[in-house]
Amino acid sequence: MGRYYPLFFLGLTAFAFILSIFGFMNMIPSLITLPILFVSIYLTIFSFTNRKRFKGLS
């Protein structure tokens, strides 16, 4: 399941972008759509750059 997170967040970003366009057309409040877009972009970038790291031998 972990390898599907980037694809899921990429789809979520596309959906949030469409909602943001609706927000710019004043169909949905932009106050709601822009934070959703920001969080989805953040999660997408985080899921693509997150990897298992060596934390030491302790």
Side-chain angles (χ1 to χ4, degrees), residues 26-54:
N26 292 327
M27 298 173 84
I28 301 173
S30 294
L31 190 62
I32 296 171
T33 61
L34 290 178
I36 293 172
L37 180 64
F38 173 74
V39 169
S40 67
I41 290 173
Y42 175 77
L43 289 174
T44 302
I45 291 172
F46 180 77
S47 67
F48 275 115
T49 59
N50 190 22
R51 61 182 189 272
K52 295 185 182 200
R53 293 180 179 91
F54 180 70

Side-chain angles (χ1 to χ4, degrees), residues 7-23:
L7 295 175
F8 171 72
F9 289 135
L10 200 61
L12 182 67
T13 302
F15 177 71
F17 182 73
I18 292 170
L19 278 181
S20 176
I21 290 176
F22 286 150

